Amino acid sequence: MLKPTQLPTLSIIGAGKLGKTLARVWFDNSTVNIQQIINQTQSSSLAAKAFIGSGTPSNALPDLKPSDFLLIAVPDSDIETVAKKLLALELNWQNTVIFHCSGSLSSSVLSCLKSDNTHIASAHPLHSFADPAHSIQQLQHCFCCAEGDDYALEQLYPLFQSLGMHWKEIEQSQKLVYHAAAVFACNFLPSIINASHECLEVLGFSPEQANEMLLPLARQTLTNIEKTSPNAALTGPVQRGDVSLIESQITALENTSPELASFYKMLSSATLKLTDHKNTSPETHTELSHLFNSDSDQT
Ligand SMILES: NC(=O)c1ccc[n+]([C@@H]2O[C@H](COP(=O)([O-])OP(=O)(O)OC[C@H]3O[C@@H](n4cnc5c(N)ncnc54)[C@H](OP(=O)(O)O)[C@@H]3O)[C@@H](O)[C@H]2O)c1
């Protein structure tokens, strides 16, 4: 086992939820030697140091010294600004890998820092870091999707592998499309479950009761998707091509909440593309398509 002084050094600008979680696990696994922790406020840097268990806290960017790895884990909107401030410091970089973990931004936001002595990348863990104390136990088997310079990717791969993550390299030009995949799977799911809640609230069920009733159903669907595919897991009135039920349901929802009715039609239209046409004739398919894409006063 390498002594701490033989390990590569890592400094972090922005040791918030993600930054301090990754740093803590890397420190615990003896993957890196934590060098500096630079947040906006000293109290936040001290709290991050306490969580990680190592590092020199600061709230002044000019304190930064060159390291082997530099993680910029400030909010996405500040990454490029921090990169430009770093450039102005004119540090004597030594083959440093500078990376961020944004899902939507590519490594190009760090391009002002790219030189013979600096290598840039983005590495996005597909994990929600809402609770760092919980996340430190949960990173194994998550995917990390990365793009950037060859050297940076080569150096970062063992770091993320040491977290037990699956490493995938993606094209820089496809970063936003990649991120949309996470938005669909992660951000839109709560909106869909919330629509279910709104329906059950009309019947007088509390949000807690709605969760108890609906989440087993949602989990079952996820299990079915895992075992087969989104198409094969599809059940319900759109898959069956049950036009009269769907018409009545849209009317019932319009009487309850026009917003819910529009949402139902929008999702049904997308769901229609998933049907296997075993139960839907081309005529039914066309009829449903018109129904889902018509204005409410025409239905
Ligand atoms: N959270 C997630 O689930 C998640 C998942 C995947 C990827 N990511 C990515 O991880 C990155 C960080 O997100 P996060 O959720 O960890 O953010 P966060 O919890 O809000 O933490 C941001 C940290 O950046 C510091 N900071 C902000 N502006 C700064 C500046 N100008 N100079 C130095 N420090 C600064 C903050 O310091 P103070 O505390 O002093 O304000 C804070 O410690 C983002 O790129 C995000 O897209 C997050």
Side-chain angles (χ1 to χ4, degrees):
M1 195 164 163
L2 292 175
K3 290 184 198 150
T5 49
Q6 294 173 304
L7 293 171
T9 52
L10 168 81
S11 288
I12 309 132
I13 302 173
K17 290 190 282 293
L18 173 136
K20 69 182 177 191
T21 305
L22 295 184
R24 161 76 182 266
V25 186
W26 280 326
F27 177 66
D28 285 352
N29 290 350
S30 302
T31 307
V32 294
N33 191 3
I34 307 293
Q35 193 169 272
Q36 287 173 283
I37 300 167
I38 303 184
N39 284 359
Q40 285 189 112
T41 56
Q42 187 65 7
S43 58
S44 170
S45 301
L46 282 164
K49 181 205 162 152
F51 182 84
I52 297 165
S54 184
T56 306
S58 164
N59 62 345
L61 206 55
D63 282 351
L64 188 74
K65 296 176 183 64
S67 52
D68 296 313
F69 292 96
L70 175 63
L71 167 58
I72 304 181
V74 299
D76 285 6
S77 53
D78 295 337
I79 294 175
E80 199 161 9
T81 312
V82 167
K84 284 179 181 156
K85 283 185 188 166
L86 284 177
L87 183 67
L89 293 180
E90 296 181 359
L91 283 165
N92 186 19
W93 302 107
Q94 295 151 4
N95 234 5
T96 300
V97 172
I98 305 176
F99 67 109
H100 69 71
C101 291
S102 164
S104 57
L105 299 175
S106 75
S107 58
S108 64
V109 290
L110 304 176
S111 54
C112 68
L113 291 168
K114 194 169 151 47
S115 73
D116 289 347
N117 280 318
T118 49
H119 312 273
I120 58 170
S122 75
H124 177 239
L126 275 161
H127 177 84
S128 170
F129 291 82
D131 176 1
H134 182 67
S135 284
I136 54 173
Q137 311 288 346
Q138 304 292 323
L139 296 179
Q140 278 226 346
H141 310 305
C142 290
F143 277 78
C144 179
C145 294
E147 57 74 35
D149 296 356
D150 289 346
Y151 179 85
L153 295 176
E154 203 179 287
Q155 299 299 309
L156 285 172
Y157 170 66
L159 250 62
F160 284 89
Q161 212 192 21
S162 77
L163 301 172
M165 287 187 175
H166 302 292
W167 178 261
K168 291 274 173 209
E169 290 180 18
I170 58 171
E171 287 294 321
Q172 186 185 96
S173 61
Q174 297 298 334
K175 185 85 196 233
L176 279 171
V177 178
Y178 155 76
H179 185 245
V183 171
F184 276 113
C186 181
N187 305 154
F188 292 161
L189 196 55
S191 311
I192 292 172
I193 299 294
N194 186 56
S196 293
H197 274 213
E198 285 182 24
C199 292
L200 287 188
E201 274 166 31
V202 174
L203 280 76
F205 291 105
S206 68
E208 292 74 25
Q209 288 170 320
N211 262 350
E212 267 184 72
M213 293 159 75
L214 298 164
L215 294 191
L217 198 60
R219 280 193 203 101
Q220 183 63 54
T221 308
L222 287 177
T223 304
N224 292 343
I225 294 171
E226 194 174 20
K227 284 187 192 155
T228 55
S229 66
N231 305 57
L234 184 64
T235 57
V238 177
Q239 165 70 354
R240 290 195 302 275
D242 192 339
V243 181
S244 70
L245 167 63
I246 292 168
E247 276 178 330
S248 312
Q249 201 151 49
I250 291 172
T251 307
L253 285 177
E254 272 162 359
N255 293 334
T256 309
S257 154
E259 223 177 87
L260 270 180
S262 307
F263 194 43
Y264 179 98
K265 283 164 64 175
M266 188 182 82
L267 291 175
S268 295
S269 178
T271 306
L272 192 57
K273 291 184 200 148
L274 280 185
T275 57
D276 56 15
H277 301 287
K278 276 188 198 139
N279 301 306
T280 45
S281 64
E283 294 74 25
T284 305
H285 196 278
T286 307
E287 198 177 344
L288 286 174
S289 181
H290 283 142
L291 187 60
F292 299 146
N293 294 301
S294 61
D295 292 337
S296 53
D297 47 350
Q298 291 175 307
T299 53

